[in-house]
Amino acid sequence: MDIATLQAYGYFFLTAFLVVVLYGYIYHLYSAEKKGTRDYEKYGNIALHDDISDQPIEEISKTDEIKK
Amino acid sequence: MFHWLEKNPFFFAVAVFVVIAFAGLIEILPNFAQASRPVIGTKPYTTLELAGRHVYIKNSCNACHSQLVRPFKSETDRYGHYSLSGEYAYDRPFLWGSKRTGPDLMRVGNYRTTDWHENHMKDPAAVVPGSIMPAYGWMFKNKADVDTAYAEQVTVNKVFKTPYNAELPMADGSKVKVALADSVEAARASALEEAKVIAADMKDQDVKDAVAKGEIPEIVALIAYLNSLK
Amino acid sequence: MENRPLEYDYTVAKMFMLTTVVLGIVGMLVGVILAWELAFPAVNTIAGSGLAEYTNFSRLRPLHTDAVIFGFTVSGIFATWYYVGQRVLKVSMAESKFLMALGKLHFVLYILLVASVVGSLLLGITTSKEYAEFEWPIDIAVVVVWVIWGMQIFGLIGIRREKSLYISIWYYIATFLGVAMLYLFNNMEVPTYFVSGGIGAWYHSVSMYSGTNDALVQWWYGHNAVAFGFTVPIVAMIYYFLPKESGQAVYSYKLSLLAFWGLMFVYLWAGGHHLLFSTVPDWMQTMGSVFSVVLILPSWGSAINMLLTMKGEWQQVASSPLIKFMILASTFYMFSTLEGPIQAIKSVNALAHFTDWIVGHVHDGVLGWVAFMIMAALFHMAPRVFKREIYSKSLMNTQFWIQTLGVVLYFTSMWIAGITQGMMWRAHDEFGNLAYSFIDTVTVLHPYYTIRAVGGTLYLVGMFLFAYNMYKTMTSGRRVEESELQSASPMGA
Amino acid sequence: MNKTVLAAIVVVIAMLGFTYVAVGSAGGMGGEGDWVNKLAVLGAVVLVIVTAFVVTKYVRQMQSDTAGGQLADENWDGIGEYKNELPFGWAVIFLGSIVWAMWYFLAGYPVNAYSQIGEYNDEVKAHDTKFEAQFAKMDDATLNAMGESVFIVQCAPCHGLQADGMDGKAANLHERIAEKSVKHIVMNGANNFKTDYAGGMPPMLLQDPAQVDAVAKYVASGFKADDAAGKAAYAAGTCNTCHGENGEGMPSVAPKINGWEAGMVATVLKDGKKGAIGAMPAFTNLTAVQTKALGAYVSSLSKK
């Protein structure tokens, strides 16, 4: 198997993989919102409420720090 | 499954990198060895030609002149045979350009000569009425940097195995050898020999005097380079 | 509530705002000189024939492109980063002495870099690769400056309060990574001085790649320098400044996310369209065409998202020149991201490549989209950074219309010039021979070159108005209270 | 109709008009224009129309729409959120562009079959067939006209549009040879036309400067019968033994020097030449028909 064939296979599988991931991501965006586990649209407010005294939209909590 | 990516800058950066590096891997890496194989008749630049190439680069001639003949009838009628990949094997960097404010120069050595270039560089509108190209008077005074050209020859010979001092097959079946000087002094001497041939066809007395004195004005090197484009 | 500093620290942002304005004027001034040189070649010796070497078209041309890309645009990116970064991460630079010092160092090194670039390009020290003209010592300095910026980004993210990264931050991260990768690979070069044992100029180098390979790497870089210099970071800006200035939330955050990944994946393939009908393999050219066209979607995704954010808000567009700038920027973004793909289709490219249509395309993107957005960003930042009202709203309006007229004159004249020239190059007469000699195709462009020069000059005039307005805002705008700075920027008459 | 739509239409019409005028003046559009040209212009047209109307659509939404859609549950400081889906048109174009990409990839420029060099060869073949048939037989006037058109593109860049050599920077083709050139050749000899005149001409056949001047004037001014000194010098230099009494030349020995003829032009194009003015390269990429036509045109110049 020469290098060109390897590259062709590499190209095909990597593209297929990325496409699957992208569509998986789209599915995730919608399903997460439907199930109510996450509301993506609220992140738009990060820009609107950006004063230093504003409450973060999603704060880094102490529990997260511990998990890390 | 995906949300952790949006909160985790490290993995997010990795993901972005994978996605953007992907196209480069596929598009650029293949054909690398293949595309740099020279076609028959291509030879490395001599010291003076390379010094001329540096003058060409120094003045960004490539901002207005391409060196790429595309395979269209209208282009091959105007400029000659379409470009082949292997013809550029010794071009570091490539000088294809991206804009033709002036004509293509890939094969200008086939249809212009020393005296024309001399007139043209001195006052473009005198030979091409209506030309918008500026004059390049300082090239008749500034001296070409032969040393750097020689340093580049040594470098490409050492690092990229550019075949100096080797028999190279030409299109007509003959063999040609482009010599690489042993020392910078020898390189200066051989460049001067080349320069004398060019200067003999030129009219500018100052240039002729300079070459007689052993100096090489930029214009002489540039013309050597332009004449080598075939 | 944990203890927080009183406010964001904009010291570094201010410094880069200054260079944005100054280098913008420098870059565009050089551009205007170039435009007049093409229309009237006598301008080449404007400073006398003794200095012609430094004022002629070919020597100035790389200076123009690099001043606008690495001077104006990159300054704008840095300036907005040092503003937006803090705010959407809800962390002040004052909270980290290290980041503050690093930021100042970043600016100082950047200035030194700019000075050395200007000097070396004027002297003709260049590698000839477009937008990568710098020789190896400057390349190393570029890498250092860029890495410092990366440390800033990730440093600030490391101490953030907001858990999720706002979409603008995504785009800034992508800018950092994209440019880093592209710049490194394209500038691989071997210094000849060291290999040859100390002969010739010490700064000279020779490219690692030759001929077709070099072209491939260069345009993979060249096109994506546009992606990661002129598109990605500018999208980062509009995703922050338009919602913020108008007080409207982004129309669809989901669309933003999809457009982001789409752009990341598709953009890098498109570089091949600079090499259509060249000596790179046919399949790669086809790939370049296909992905260029598919690229319309992620680009338009962001642009439409921004226009829809203003849905039902016409009174804001009509009354605020600042929002006008951003809406027009979105529009030009849509225009040039549709124009580019059309030029990337092989049969169109056969006509358009090497002509002024390409120059026109670049400029409707850069003048209409990039520069408009950066100026809008600076206008928005000014009252918040200087705590003063924008000096004059009517001056902003004047600037807006002058510059819009300038861009329109620019791209229409170049569009027509390009198609005319492309047609004349390929025209055959009734005998089957070429119909025009090359010089015919040059002289016919004179009127278009003149119109372009006028358009460019108008734009430059607008830049001066911009600089004046910013200066007056800094020095004599009315002082404003924090409460006035919620959404729409306060402006004087 | 609202103002924005009107403005969009005006811009579109103006752009189309400009493009049409520009393209028309470049002579590419009419019957001569091939489909590629048309596609390019069509692309430009599509570009303006699509952008103008899409932008107009959104501007109108900004103007007249009231913000709507389902409000999200959250509410921050009075700023609501709309749960909007991807715009429908965008999604449709997205699918459309994927279909187009497939077509381009598989049928338009098939990755496994398309080759630009193959396309070039076809183009050249079609071009040659068309014009070979058309110009198989030509009268002198057509040949001359064709020669002029080739001259303007291929020769005028050096010899000038008027073929006058632009102040001595190239040969003036209204005369066969200039005095300066004759002198140069007499002094230095000549061996330019290696293919047709392999022997070349030796230098220094005349050594007396007065005689060199005389012969130069005699040859350059067209062998005037009353120029006795010139005639004598011409004979003294034994010029006549090769170039003939009146410079009519001798096949394979010496070229004709009393005027241009098609054969001589072909010889110059084949080998190029180098003389007092400078060097002219060989023009080997011209076709036989083009060479012949140039010969006819250049010959006609010196006859006037």
Side-chain angles (χ1 to χ4, degrees):
Chain A
M1 198 148 51
D2 63 345
I3 184 110
T5 325
L6 273 176
Q7 267 156 351
Y9 278 113
Y11 162 64
F12 180 78
F13 286 113
L14 211 51
T15 309
F17 171 73
L18 285 173
V19 167
V20 168
V21 171
L22 181 67
Y23 283 94
Y25 188 56
I26 295 177
Y27 175 76
H28 160 81
L29 287 178
Y30 279 88
S31 67
E33 193 166 278
K34 205 160 209 169
K35 276 187 274 172
T37 48
R38 189 149 321 277
D39 177 13
Y40 274 95
E41 299 301 336
K42 85 174 177 206
Y43 295 123
N45 287 330
I46 295 176
L48 291 178
H49 304 280
D50 63 347
D51 276 338
I52 195 91
S53 50
D54 281 331
Q55 186 66 27
I57 305 299
E58 209 173 59
E59 195 153 5
I60 295 184
S61 58
K62 288 273 174 334
T63 51
D64 267 16
E65 307 266 313
I66 292 160
K67 253 190 270 172
K68 266 181 209 163
Chain B
M1 167 186 176
F2 286 97
H3 190 67
W4 60 273
L5 208 58
E6 290 146 16
K7 288 182 297 201
N8 194 319
F10 175 73
F11 288 109
F12 173 79
V14 171
V16 170
F17 189 75
V18 168
V19 174
I20 60 180
F22 175 55
L25 277 175
I26 299 299
E27 279 200 330
I28 295 190
L29 289 185
N31 303 336
F32 239 59
Q34 214 175 347
S36 55
R37 200 169 297 149
V39 293
I40 305 281
T42 309
K43 51 182 194 286
Y45 295 102
T46 66
T47 316
L48 188 66
E49 285 164 6
L50 205 53
R53 200 167 190 270
H54 291 164
V55 176
Y56 188 95
I57 289 172
K58 178 180 171 190
N59 291 285
S60 294
C61 301
N62 54 307
C64 295
H65 294 280
S66 58
Q67 285 190 24
L68 176 75
V69 183
R70 297 180 293 169
F72 305 137
K73 174 93 175 113
S74 55
E75 300 219 342
T76 55
D77 279 0
R78 200 183 293 281
Y79 305 118
H81 197 283
Y82 54 78
S83 304
L84 301 170
S85 185
E87 292 181 281
Y88 300 110
Y90 307 122
D91 277 9
R92 293 173 192 271
F94 79 115
L95 290 172
W96 292 3
S98 59
K99 176 72 177 47
R100 272 186 199 149
T101 305
D104 190 89
L105 298 181
M106 167 98 191
R107 304 185 192 287
V108 71
N110 283 337
Y111 46 88
R112 294 287 184 275
T113 51
T114 303
D115 54 288
W116 189 88
H117 286 306
E118 183 189 3
N119 289 328
H120 187 244
M121 298 305 290
K122 211 173 238 176
D123 182 10
V127 265
V128 185
S131 173
I132 57 171
M133 175 164 145
Y136 286 81
W138 62 88
M139 286 186 186
F140 291 78
K141 299 188 192 80
N142 292 0
K143 299 293 170 277
D145 189 350
V146 175
D147 291 11
T148 303
Y150 174 67
E152 185 173 321
Q153 282 184 309
V154 171
T155 307
V156 294
N157 183 246
K158 222 183 252 179
V159 181
F160 306 113
K161 309 280 172 272
T162 301
Y164 283 106
N165 293 331
E167 301 265 322
L168 299 170
M170 291 291 110
D172 58 5
S174 63
K175 301 262 183 188
V176 167
K177 200 157 94 172
V178 179
L180 175 63
D182 294 330
S183 66
V184 66
E185 289 78 19
R188 284 182 203 143
S190 80
L192 189 63
E193 287 312 306
E194 287 180 73
K196 279 179 180 156
V197 177
I198 305 280
D201 285 347
M202 292 178 68
K203 302 243 160 24
D204 191 295
Q205 200 52 48
D206 294 345
V207 171
K208 284 172 177 288
D209 292 348
V211 174
K213 269 192 295 182
E215 293 170 341
I216 304 174
E218 283 183 331
I219 185 73
V220 177
L222 181 70
I223 290 177
Y225 171 63
L226 292 174
N227 286 344
S228 80
L229 294 173
K230 288 193 172 169
Chain C
M1 201 117 205
E2 77 242 69
N3 61 336
R4 290 188 184 181
L6 284 174
E7 51 184 17
Y8 297 118
D9 190 322
Y10 299 128
T11 322
V12 187
K14 276 183 205 161
M15 295 174 176
F16 279 109
M17 281 170 82
L18 176 76
T19 54
T20 308
V21 178
V22 172
L23 294 173
I25 286 181
V26 170
M28 291 179 200
L29 177 67
V30 175
V32 167
I33 295 174
L34 293 175
W36 286 108
E37 284 180 345
L38 281 182
F40 300 96
V43 181
N44 278 293
T45 50
I46 193 162
S49 52
L51 286 174
E53 181 173 358
Y54 309 104
T55 57
N56 92 326
F57 182 92
S58 61
R59 196 62 73 79
L60 288 182
R61 198 265 188 180
L63 190 62
H64 165 60
T65 50
D66 288 333
V68 171
I69 298 172
F70 298 106
F72 174 66
T73 309
V74 169
S75 280
I77 296 170
F78 289 159
T80 54
W81 161 259
Y82 281 109
Y83 178 86
V84 175
Q86 297 183 60
R87 297 189 67 110
V88 298
L89 297 170
K90 290 202 179 71
V91 57
S92 170
M93 279 188 66
E95 292 174 65
S96 163
K97 281 207 178 69
F98 171 69
L99 286 180
M100 202 60 221
L102 199 63
K104 284 172 184 159
L105 178 69
H106 185 200
F107 179 76
V108 172
L109 288 178
Y110 176 79
I111 289 294
L112 292 175
L113 187 60
V114 167
S116 59
V117 163
V118 171
S120 75
L121 288 180
L122 278 178
L123 288 173
I125 299 169
T126 159
T127 64
S128 91
K129 288 179 149 198
E130 284 182 68
Y131 330 126
E133 282 96 349
F134 320 132
E135 277 292 4
W136 64 270
I138 299 184
D139 283 339
I140 292 174
V142 170
V143 171
V144 170
V145 168
W146 202 254
V147 166
I148 292 181
W149 186 48
M151 289 164 76
Q152 281 289 343
I153 294 181
F154 289 104
L156 210 56
I157 287 175
I159 56 170
R160 72 191 189 278
R161 288 204 183 74
E162 186 70 74
K163 191 169 174 190
S164 278
L165 303 179
Y166 186 61
I167 186 79
S168 291
I169 301 289
W170 295 27
Y171 279 100
Y172 280 116
I173 292 177
T175 305
F176 169 72
L177 289 173
V179 172
M181 173 184 80
L182 297 161
Y183 198 87
L184 279 178
F185 275 96
N186 189 40
N187 284 291
M188 287 296 169
E189 51 211 2
V190 183
T192 57
Y193 184 78
F194 300 110
V195 178
S196 67
I199 300 172
W202 63 274
Y203 49 77
H204 184 71
S205 67
V206 58
S207 171
M208 284 264 278
Y209 321 108
S210 76
T212 304
N213 292 336
D214 198 30
L216 208 54
V217 178
Q218 158 62 23
W219 285 112
W220 174 70
Y221 164 83
H223 183 72
N224 295 308
V226 175
F228 291 98
F230 284 167
T231 306
V232 172
I234 314 299
V235 173
M237 291 177 204
I238 200 162
Y239 266 120
Y240 175 81
F241 289 104
L242 185 64
K244 188 68 192 170
E245 177 71 22
S246 65
Q248 301 293 308
V250 176
Y251 174 77
S252 168
Y253 199 74
K254 277 200 281 300
L255 182 58
S256 338
L257 303 189
L258 289 182
F260 175 81
W261 289 108
L263 200 70
M264 290 302 112
F265 179 61
V266 178
Y267 220 129
L268 270 288
W269 291 90
H273 68 219
H274 286 262
L275 300 168
L276 297 183
F277 298 106
S278 74
T279 64
V280 308
D282 288 314
W283 70 269
M284 232 181 273
Q285 302 181 18
T286 303
M287 205 85 97
S289 285
V290 168
F291 278 99
S292 303
V293 173
V294 173
L295 191 56
I296 297 175
L297 273 302
S299 315
W300 277 43
S302 294
I304 288 174
N305 207 359
M306 285 301 108
L307 294 182
L308 282 174
T309 298
M310 297 305 292
K311 198 172 165 184
E313 294 293 326
W314 182 252
Q315 77 286 355
Q316 286 208 39
V317 183
S319 64
S320 164
L322 220 170
I323 290 184
K324 273 203 202 85
F325 271 110
M326 291 195 268
I327 292 298
L328 200 79
S330 279
T331 306
F332 270 110
Y333 181 47
M334 290 176 84
F335 179 75
S336 59
T337 51
L338 185 60
E339 186 180 39
I342 286 178
Q343 289 174 335
I345 296 171
K346 280 190 183 178
S347 45
V348 180
N349 189 272
L351 176 89
H353 192 49
F354 289 136
T355 71
D356 283 299
W357 189 8
I358 308 297
V359 179
H361 167 63
V362 174
H363 283 84
D364 57 53
V366 175
L367 297 177
W369 156 240
V370 177
F372 267 31
M373 189 55 229
I374 290 179
M375 289 187 296
L378 259 57
F379 270 132
H380 175 91
M381 284 157 68
R384 289 149 182 91
V385 168
F386 301 121
K387 302 275 179 283
R388 283 171 189 273
E389 184 178 70
I390 294 176
Y391 175 69
S392 166
K393 181 178 173 182
S394 61
L395 206 56
M396 269 171 95
N397 264 320
T398 318
Q399 181 201 343
F400 175 81
W401 290 112
I402 288 182
Q403 292 193 319
T404 305
L405 180 65
V407 183
V408 171
L409 284 180
Y410 196 113
F411 83 82
T412 49
S413 62
M414 285 300 94
W415 173 343
I416 297 164
I419 293 183
T420 307
Q421 199 176 32
M423 293 280 192
M424 287 176 79
W425 283 345
R426 61 163 57 170
H428 280 91
D429 62 11
E430 71 269 34
F431 306 110
N433 302 316
L434 291 173
Y436 301 100
S437 78
F438 195 91
I439 189 67
D440 295 337
T441 73
V442 174
T443 44
V444 74
L445 300 183
H446 176 74
Y448 306 121
Y449 279 170
T450 312
I451 296 175
R452 183 257 301 266
V454 170
T457 309
L458 285 178
Y459 202 93
L460 181 66
V461 169
M463 280 305 284
F464 280 115
L465 295 184
F466 173 60
Y468 176 74
N469 211 350
M470 291 301 271
Y471 171 74
K472 292 297 265 185
T473 302
M474 257 167 73
T475 53
S476 45
R478 177 179 63 85
R479 291 206 170 271
V480 291
E481 297 301 316
E482 198 66 34
S483 60
E484 291 179 77
L485 296 172
Q486 283 312 309
S487 57
S489 305
M491 299 171 202
Chain D
M1 176 142 353
N2 92 14
K3 244 178 14 191
T4 333
V5 177
L6 255 174
I9 291 173
V10 170
V11 170
V12 170
I13 291 175
M15 291 297 300
L16 296 189
F18 277 132
T19 311
Y20 183 80
V21 171
V23 170
S25 69
M29 211 30 189
E32 291 292 304
D34 55 292
W35 65 276
V36 177
N37 291 357
K38 288 190 177 118
L39 208 70
V41 176
L42 192 72
V45 171
V46 168
L47 158 71
V48 180
I49 294 182
V50 172
T51 314
F53 282 90
V54 170
V55 171
T56 315
K57 172 178 178 269
Y58 290 113
V59 167
R60 294 199 64 182
Q61 281 200 357
M62 290 178 216
Q63 285 176 321
S64 53
D65 245 21
T66 45
Q70 197 198 345
L71 274 172
D73 301 333
E74 290 108 333
N75 189 309
W76 281 277
D77 293 347
I79 297 181
E81 272 288 327
Y82 303 114
K83 288 185 155 184
N84 288 308
E85 300 311 331
L86 306 182
F88 181 69
W90 186 83
V92 170
I93 306 173
F94 181 60
L95 291 176
S97 81
I98 290 175
V99 172
W100 176 88
M102 287 297 180
W103 170 82
Y104 194 90
F105 217 73
L106 298 174
Y109 294 92
V111 194
N112 58 350
Y114 172 80
S115 137
Q116 60 184 21
I117 303 303
E119 193 183 27
Y120 169 74
N121 291 337
D122 289 346
E123 185 195 357
V124 172
K125 206 168 151 196
H127 189 274
D128 289 351
T129 325
K130 182 178 163 204
F131 288 104
E132 251 165 48
Q134 198 176 339
F135 295 109
K137 287 203 185 77
M138 267 187 289
D139 55 25
D140 286 351
T142 322
L143 198 62
N144 215 352
M146 183 199 260
E148 184 171 7
S149 107
V150 177
F151 184 88
I152 287 172
V153 175
Q154 305 284 355
C155 314
C158 293
H159 291 281
L161 275 177
Q162 315 301 329
D164 55 5
M166 304 210 266
D167 268 349
K169 293 188 196 71
N172 178 353
L173 297 175
H174 294 278
E175 54 181 25
R176 168 62 180 87
I177 195 164
E179 264 188 64
K180 191 170 107 175
S181 298
V182 181
K183 270 191 224 168
H184 181 84
I185 292 168
V186 172
M187 308 296 290
N188 300 296
N191 189 16
N192 280 318
F193 311 125
K194 294 192 181 69
T195 323
D196 292 349
Y197 304 98
M201 171 171 155
M204 304 303 265
L205 287 175
L206 282 171
Q207 315 221 352
D208 174 10
Q211 277 189 318
V212 176
D213 285 351
V215 84
K217 197 174 154 218
Y218 180 64
V219 172
S221 56
F223 298 87
K224 290 210 177 87
D226 55 353
D227 183 356
K231 204 164 190 170
Y234 190 69
T238 63
C239 311
N240 52 348
T241 53
C242 294
H243 289 286
E245 281 313 322
N246 288 310
E248 63 274 8
M250 199 179 288
S252 303
V253 176
K256 177 180 161 78
I257 52 173
N258 62 356
W260 285 106
E261 57 166 10
M264 190 59 219
V265 174
T267 301
V268 176
L269 289 173
K270 197 169 2 175
D271 283 334
K273 72 195 294 261
K274 193 169 173 186
I277 301 169
M280 164 171 162
F283 277 72
T284 44
N285 60 337
L286 297 173
T287 64
V289 183
Q290 286 175 324
T291 309
K292 200 172 141 200
L294 267 179
Y297 176 69
V298 173
S299 310
S300 78
L301 287 174
S302 56
K303 272 178 199 130
K304 265 178 224 160

